[in-house]
Amino acid sequence: MAWKPKLMAAVRWGWFGLLILLAFGYLAAGLSDRSRRSADQPGPKPSRQSPDSVQPELSSVQVIDRAWRESLDARGLQCAESADWMTVCRRASLALLGNGLSLEEIRDLEKLPESEREAAHLDKLLNDPRFHDYWAERWTRFLVGTDNGQFITFRRRRFRVWLSDVFAENRRYDQIVRDLITAEGLWTDHPEVNFITATFDSNDGSADPVRLAARTSRCFLGLRIDCLQCHNDFLGNVNLGDVQSPREGLQTDFHQLAAFYSSAKTNGLQGVRSGEVDYQYKYLNAEAEVAVQPSVPFLPELLPDDGSPRERLATWVTHPENRQAARAAVSHVWALMFGRPATEAVDNLPLDETTTPVVEKLADDFVSTGFDIRRLIRLIARSAPFRVASRADFEVTAEHEEYGAVFPLVRLRPEQVAGSIVQCARIKAVDRDSSFFIQLQKFGGMNDFINRYGDMGEDEFTSDSVTITQRLVMLNGNMVSEIINSNPFLNASAHIDMFAPENELAVDTVYLCVLNRYPTDAEKTHFVERLASANQRGEAIEDLFWVLLNSTEFAWNH
């Protein structure tokens, strides 16, 4: 009977070997092409839009591009050529998913005619759950911040999941804003209520009208009127009133806006309910508190007389004639797409000043087409400012970047760096369908990496330079080391070594995985020679991954 243990061991190892072969065959699918695939092969569906909806969208893009070119001509600025399709697709992936393209996605796009690739990729991204989740987190930071607040009355995760569902169904932007401002119920059953309860920690377990007024003005109106909480505007920084004939901002403007939110009452187990306005404030140099009635800082004729206080405010904010709110929404989406605002700041759009011609045209289209967020994203992604190259055959100045003559160089956010590192180490897209082990590695690795690299918090669009600590995390950090190691079950470095026997193909594949582009002739010649002369080819491929991950190009959107 001594042979039985040996037989059982042989069977187990046989099954194990079979599983390894099946896994290798599955993973090798992304490397099977040794050249760009022909356009007549089947590939991803280019777009789910109907022909009737595509043509008006193209017309709107032409209007936007015309405004962009006229703006450049007026300043005598020369513009760069259009970027190649892979660069544009990488920009879209970074903006909507927080990471670059996978090799699998690139191979699928290469099956399509080149003229269809950008539109097909964008349409796929807009229907990808990763887009819904990533933008939900970005908007959560914008709307309620990064602090977890009081756990009993504030569930940040519930709010983020609700936003993910909102983006998945492409709910109208004006409806989203109305849901947030008028939210009622428990913060668990009605996640949108967490926009209100996020302020409970600063007002003894009740909604804080002051913080909500500041959030409303910054997020929904693109106005910084926080200073008016304590005093009138003496420096000419805040102009309100009539757009055609503005006046200085007054302390009353801020607190009359805050008064709307004093009607948000906490009613025990029923959560937040609408009640009567009850707002008292002692103004600067006043002798006593006075009752403050709700009012709006501009366009009072759009404020309805009927309805609860918060319903009236929500109707005013989302009124089609309140272009300031539309400009604020477009400005924020633009900043998420480009990685930086179109103007000085995403939440500082003076009422009496225009933004940029492109943003103004986008705001007009946003209102006239029903506050469609996905349409707005498509217009921006298909417009010339988003598709123009960052490199030009003329001297590029700060003015060229400011007015969109070239695509601005923007440093990736920490989660974009981490997400791109995780993705480049996989042949296939890392998403909800990925294995449990890959998702676990992504979750744990990204959280640790971001903590070490530095989370920006609510400072969404900072332009600070790279720190020494961040450089060291990339050079010597555990995440980068684990990602590039030759792990045949998880990492692309091992797969490339096994399934790309020609050094030329190996170098091409590493560049596609990490930088989402093919190497130049000089780069290819250099690294092919390095791989050919290496004693251990697998280690040389790991080194190539490490070099590209630590390159300046990898850390920037361009």
Side-chain angles (χ1 to χ4, degrees):
M1 302 296 289
W3 56 270
K4 285 189 175 181
K6 296 182 179 180
L7 177 62
M8 295 300 294
V11 171
R12 285 196 296 268
W13 280 108
W15 277 110
F16 182 68
L18 179 60
L19 289 174
I20 291 177
L21 289 175
L22 290 173
F24 284 177
Y26 178 74
L27 292 168
L31 293 167
S32 60
D33 290 328
R34 302 196 178 192
S35 61
R36 302 191 180 189
R37 303 184 184 183
S38 59
D40 57 350
Q41 291 179 287
K45 296 179 180 179
S47 179
R48 298 180 184 179
Q49 292 178 263
S50 66
D52 293 337
S53 65
V54 172
Q55 190 58 43
E57 194 172 285
L58 291 175
S59 299
S60 296
V61 171
Q62 292 171 355
V63 171
I64 294 165
D65 289 352
R66 189 180 307 117
W68 171 72
R69 292 188 181 279
E70 290 175 353
S71 174
L72 296 182
D73 291 342
R75 293 173 174 80
L77 294 176
Q78 184 179 358
C79 67
E81 299 292 331
S82 296
D84 63 271
W85 70 269
M86 210 178 299
T87 298
V88 176
C89 288
R90 178 179 186 262
R91 293 172 184 171
S93 289
L94 287 170
L96 300 181
L97 305 184
N99 55 255
L101 289 84
S102 67
L103 179 64
E104 176 189 39
E105 290 170 324
I106 294 174
R107 294 302 192 199
D108 283 342
L109 288 171
E110 287 180 331
K111 299 173 185 177
L112 297 172
E114 187 169 338
S115 61
E116 298 180 11
R117 293 171 186 171
E118 294 174 26
H121 184 59
L122 180 62
D123 187 69
K124 181 176 180 291
L125 292 178
L126 291 174
N127 291 283
D128 193 320
R130 292 177 295 170
F131 157 60
H132 311 146
D133 293 342
Y134 181 63
W135 270 44
E137 172 59 27
R138 297 295 298 273
W139 280 78
T140 296
R141 290 172 176 245
F142 188 58
L143 294 170
V144 299
T146 57
D147 197 358
N148 287 323
Q150 293 182 347
F151 175 74
I152 296 178
T153 56
F154 175 57
R155 305 294 175 87
R156 188 180 186 277
R157 179 181 176 278
R158 297 275 300 179
F159 185 76
R160 187 184 72 246
V161 171
W162 174 77
L163 277 177
S164 180
D165 293 339
V166 163
F167 287 123
E169 69 181 56
N170 193 30
R171 189 177 302 178
R172 288 172 55 120
Y173 173 78
D174 56 341
Q175 183 60 56
I176 297 173
V177 175
R178 285 196 293 269
D179 290 343
L180 294 172
I181 295 177
T182 64
E184 293 188 0
L186 282 173
W187 36 92
T188 51
D189 296 338
H190 298 81
E192 63 272 27
V193 173
N194 286 284
F195 175 71
I196 305 294
T197 62
T199 67
F200 274 25
D201 59 345
S202 60
N203 199 37
D204 298 326
S206 299
D208 188 340
V210 171
R211 286 178 61 187
L212 287 168
R215 284 282 182 187
T216 297
S217 63
R218 282 178 174 261
C219 296
F220 304 142
L221 301 176
L223 294 174
R224 292 181 179 178
I225 63 173
D226 308 41
C227 62
L228 302 182
Q229 176 185 344
C230 301
H231 55 77
N232 294 340
D233 175 45
F234 302 116
L235 301 177
N237 294 327
V238 181
N239 290 325
L240 299 173
D242 192 313
V243 176
Q244 303 300 325
S245 180
R247 58 167 174 76
E248 68 174 11
L250 303 175
Q251 202 177 0
T252 53
D253 290 316
F254 182 90
H255 291 284
Q256 286 172 347
L257 182 64
F260 284 101
Y261 286 105
S262 68
S263 66
K265 309 295 184 182
T266 307
N267 192 3
L269 295 178
Q270 291 184 328
V272 175
R273 288 287 182 266
S274 289
E276 299 297 324
V277 171
D278 180 19
Y279 192 76
Q280 308 282 328
Y281 192 78
K282 181 181 177 181
Y283 288 111
L284 183 66
N285 299 324
E287 295 182 357
E289 288 186 346
V290 295
V292 181
Q293 295 302 312
S295 185
V296 292
F298 58 91
L299 296 176
E301 65 274 13
L302 302 183
L303 182 68
D305 296 326
D306 300 326
S308 69
R310 286 189 291 146
E311 287 175 346
R312 295 171 62 213
L313 176 62
T315 302
W316 175 80
V317 169
T318 59
H319 197 289
E321 295 181 27
N322 189 351
R323 288 193 76 259
Q324 182 66 18
R327 294 165 77 210
V330 170
S331 177
H332 188 217
V333 173
W334 178 283
L336 289 172
M337 293 295 291
F338 281 84
R340 76 177 205 178
T343 55
E344 176 189 354
V346 69
D347 57 355
N348 188 22
L349 311 173
L351 185 67
D352 56 332
E353 298 179 12
T354 59
T355 52
T356 68
V358 172
V359 170
E360 297 296 335
K361 294 295 183 183
L362 286 168
D364 291 337
D365 184 271
F366 191 53
V367 174
S368 64
T369 56
F371 300 94
D372 188 333
I373 296 177
R374 289 193 190 179
R375 175 186 169 88
L376 175 59
I377 293 172
R378 283 196 297 267
L379 291 183
I380 294 174
R382 298 171 71 175
S383 68
F386 190 82
R387 300 183 65 255
V388 73
S390 58
R391 180 179 298 172
D393 55 6
F394 53 84
E395 182 181 356
V396 177
T397 66
E399 189 179 20
H400 286 95
E401 285 198 355
E402 180 181 356
Y403 294 104
V406 296
F407 189 88
L409 295 176
V410 181
R411 189 163 67 89
L412 299 188
R413 291 171 47 82
E415 85 281 350
Q416 290 176 325
V417 176
S420 296
I421 292 173
V422 170
Q423 182 55 75
C424 78
R426 311 284 179 259
I427 298 301
K428 296 181 177 292
V430 179
D431 54 23
R432 294 179 181 180
D433 295 329
S434 299
S435 71
F436 170 76
F437 296 103
I438 289 178
Q439 295 197 47
L440 182 63
Q441 185 187 50
K442 175 184 177 182
F443 178 78
M446 284 189 63
N447 286 344
D448 181 67
F449 178 89
I450 292 173
N451 287 334
R452 294 175 180 274
Y453 195 82
D455 193 336
M456 294 179 180
E458 292 185 53
D459 195 4
E460 284 279 274
F461 307 109
T462 182
S463 58
D464 294 342
S465 59
V466 178
T467 65
I468 295 176
T469 301
Q470 290 171 338
R471 280 295 187 188
L472 290 175
V473 169
M474 290 296 295
L475 291 169
N476 306 313
N478 291 333
M479 184 177 181
V480 173
S481 177
E482 293 173 359
I483 286 297
I484 66 176
N485 281 344
S486 184
N487 184 327
F489 294 100
L490 295 175
N491 294 346
S493 58
H495 305 154
I496 293 171
D497 185 25
M498 290 184 288
F499 301 115
E502 293 86 359
N503 290 332
E504 292 83 357
L505 177 59
V507 173
D508 282 348
T509 307
V510 175
Y511 264 82
L512 289 174
C513 287
V514 181
L515 300 182
N516 294 161
R517 69 171 175 86
Y518 285 95
T520 64
D521 291 340
E523 291 170 335
K524 190 169 184 176
T525 299
H526 174 79
F527 286 113
V528 165
E529 291 177 355
R530 294 296 294 268
L531 262 61
S533 62
N535 293 328
Q536 296 291 331
R537 184 173 184 267
E539 292 182 1
I541 292 176
E542 292 178 23
D543 291 343
L544 178 54
F545 264 95
W546 185 88
V547 168
L548 297 185
L549 283 170
N550 282 282
S551 66
T552 301
E553 180 178 351
F554 175 79
W556 290 76
N557 196 356
H558 52 81

